[in-house]
Amino acid sequence: FNKNYNFLYRVGTDYTNDNRRYIFPPSSSENPMGLIDVQILSTQLIDHNMQLNMTKNIGYLNINLILGQSLNATDYNRTGIVGENMSTYSFHQLNNTTDYTPDEYKEQIRISSTYSNLTFGLNGKYLTFGLNRDGSSTFGKDNRFSTFPRFSFSWKFSDKLITPIISKGLMRIAWGKAGSEPDPYVTKNTYSLSIFSDGWGPELSSNYNGYGGFVSGTTKANPNIKPEIVTELEYGTDITFFKDKMNFSITKYIQRTNDAILYVPAAPTSGYAYKLANAASINNKGTEILFNADLIEINHHTFSTEINYSTNENIVTSLADTENISIGGFSGASAYAVAGEPYGILRGNDWLY
């Protein structure tokens, strides 16, 4: 509108399409009767961004207000069919198979974020307050939206220094909260086609004798799942020396995760293998140090170096309803969440002799 008020609206879309065909001819070790797997996958992303920016100067005081909203839509589609028992070699079409297993999946996710930032600037000092109101369709209807505050302060102290050594110096501190959403459709019980096998012998399908069959999911739905909340305090200093020839930065952070979303083992009598829960609290703290310098500059050639150093201490402070929770891995060794141990500690199995 003018130099103090401006409005931005941006919309974009991204579409991908993937056609796949997997062929296992007769006599192959994995599928001796032959198999053809045909899949069509597509993903479309639509992103809307609106932002109003307002600036006001009152003497030496600069005030900036930003109001905005972003809307994101993700649509994923997968359609496939597996044909087995090929009649002849070298004819890699589905009509060369006798048994068919269809597969169709559709996923829709809608995410919105309404945000505001209010910044005060005075004599190289900047104070910012912010607020986000975020929502996701992957939550149940009672927990769909959450509010996340934040603030930051920075001071360019080099403006008060008169020295040829320090070119620029900045002190900063920031605090804020952010949330993470669960996977889609975990708030409702779902049913799908399934195959049962011990991994070594023949497979059994939920389709039987020409009739389709559906099986409930292995994870018990949780319509009351809440967002995983991360609260972080970060502070540090950035200094440049000798007309920006040398840079030094140090940052310390303290991060706490509450209501971590995990798949907790469920009692077999419940009919499920897992249940989704806000099951853990996790603490992180650490230090990051960065140093870089332009050591030699000769005839438009520059030799520079950069050194990084970081430490992180991580521990699971609490775990609900169980002693440990698997978070991924292999059958021999997996990563686990264990109270009193770092998140992702490896645990394995052994034999007693």
Side-chain angles (χ1 to χ4, degrees):
F1 305 119
N2 55 49
K3 66 178 183 178
N4 294 325
Y5 300 88
N6 64 75
F7 177 77
L8 170 68
Y9 175 73
R10 181 185 295 117
V11 59
T13 184
D14 185 11
Y15 177 81
T16 61
N17 188 74
D18 187 1
N19 295 323
R20 301 179 182 180
R21 181 181 293 266
Y22 302 93
I23 300 170
F24 296 88
S27 301
S28 61
S29 59
E30 186 172 349
N31 297 279
M33 300 304 295
L35 180 145
I36 299 175
D37 184 358
V38 177
Q39 298 183 23
I40 301 175
L41 305 94
S42 66
T43 303
Q44 183 171 22
L45 307 177
I46 301 177
D47 195 57
H48 297 263
N49 288 281
M50 297 173 286
Q51 183 174 289
L52 177 63
N53 193 318
M54 297 172 283
T55 302
K56 180 69 174 179
N57 292 318
I58 305 175
Y60 293 105
L61 177 65
N62 175 266
I63 304 174
N64 177 253
L65 175 63
I66 296 176
L67 302 174
Q69 184 179 57
S70 64
L71 303 172
N72 180 273
T74 303
D75 291 86
Y76 171 77
N77 292 278
R78 182 184 72 238
T79 302
I81 186 168
V82 176
E84 297 181 271
N85 298 325
M86 297 175 65
S87 301
T88 63
Y89 284 88
S90 303
F91 182 34
H92 301 154
Q93 300 293 325
L94 285 171
N95 51 3
N96 186 35
T97 59
T98 60
D99 299 327
Y100 304 100
T101 303
D103 174 46
E104 186 173 13
Y105 177 75
K106 184 176 183 179
E107 181 180 290
Q108 293 182 321
I109 300 175
R110 303 292 183 262
I111 296 175
S112 73
S113 178
T114 303
Y115 58 91
S116 61
N117 281 329
L118 178 61
T119 301
F120 300 92
L122 178 66
N123 297 328
K125 304 179 183 69
Y126 298 91
L127 178 64
T128 299
F129 298 94
L131 194 68
N132 275 49
R133 181 69 173 169
D134 297 341
S136 173
S137 64
T138 59
F139 289 102
K141 63 180 181 179
D142 295 331
N143 296 304
R144 195 147 287 174
F145 289 90
S146 300
T147 302
F148 305 106
R150 63 185 179 279
F151 88 90
S152 64
F153 173 76
S154 63
W155 174 36
K156 190 178 178 182
F157 63 85
S158 55
D159 291 342
K160 301 297 182 180
L161 300 177
I162 303 177
T163 172
I165 299 176
I166 298 178
S167 307
K168 182 170 62 178
L170 181 72
M171 297 180 64
R172 49 187 165 76
I173 183 172
W175 174 92
K177 290 188 175 184
S180 299
E181 66 273 6
D183 296 328
Y185 309 126
V186 295
T187 60
K188 297 181 179 180
N189 290 318
T190 60
Y191 297 85
S192 62
L193 296 176
S194 185
I195 294 177
F196 303 92
S197 171
D198 61 2
W200 304 98
E203 297 177 343
L204 296 176
S205 171
S206 55
N207 291 336
Y208 179 73
N209 199 27
Y211 293 93
F214 292 88
V215 179
S216 63
T218 59
T219 300
K220 184 178 181 180
N222 185 353
N224 300 314
I225 196 74
K226 298 182 294 184
E228 179 178 306
I229 305 296
V230 177
T231 304
E232 182 169 357
L233 173 66
E234 179 182 299
Y235 53 95
T237 301
D238 305 312
I239 305 176
T240 62
F241 303 91
F242 307 113
K243 298 181 179 181
D244 299 332
K245 300 293 185 182
M246 188 179 298
N247 299 277
F248 175 80
S249 175
I250 182 170
T251 301
K252 295 186 72 68
Y253 61 88
I254 302 172
Q255 183 186 88
R256 179 171 177 81
T257 301
N258 290 317
D259 295 325
I261 300 173
L262 297 173
Y263 291 88
V264 181
T269 53
S270 67
Y272 297 94
Y274 302 95
K275 59 181 179 180
L276 191 72
N278 297 108
S281 296
I282 306 167
N283 284 352
N284 279 283
K285 63 179 180 179
T287 303
E288 298 174 350
I289 299 175
L290 172 66
F291 174 81
N292 61 69
D294 295 332
L295 301 180
I296 301 175
E297 291 186 3
I298 302 176
N299 297 329
H300 307 292
H301 296 280
T302 302
F303 175 75
S304 61
T305 186
E306 181 174 295
I307 301 173
N308 291 287
Y309 173 80
S310 63
T311 62
N312 180 70
E313 297 180 23
N314 170 285
I315 190 169
V316 178
T317 57
S318 66
L319 203 61
D321 300 330
T322 185
E323 295 181 358
N324 57 75
I325 299 174
S326 174
I327 56 176
F330 300 95
S331 58
S334 298
Y336 281 81
V338 181
E341 300 286 349
Y343 183 77
I345 189 173
L346 293 178
R347 300 184 64 181
N349 301 315
D350 199 358
W351 299 95
L352 293 177
Y353 298 97

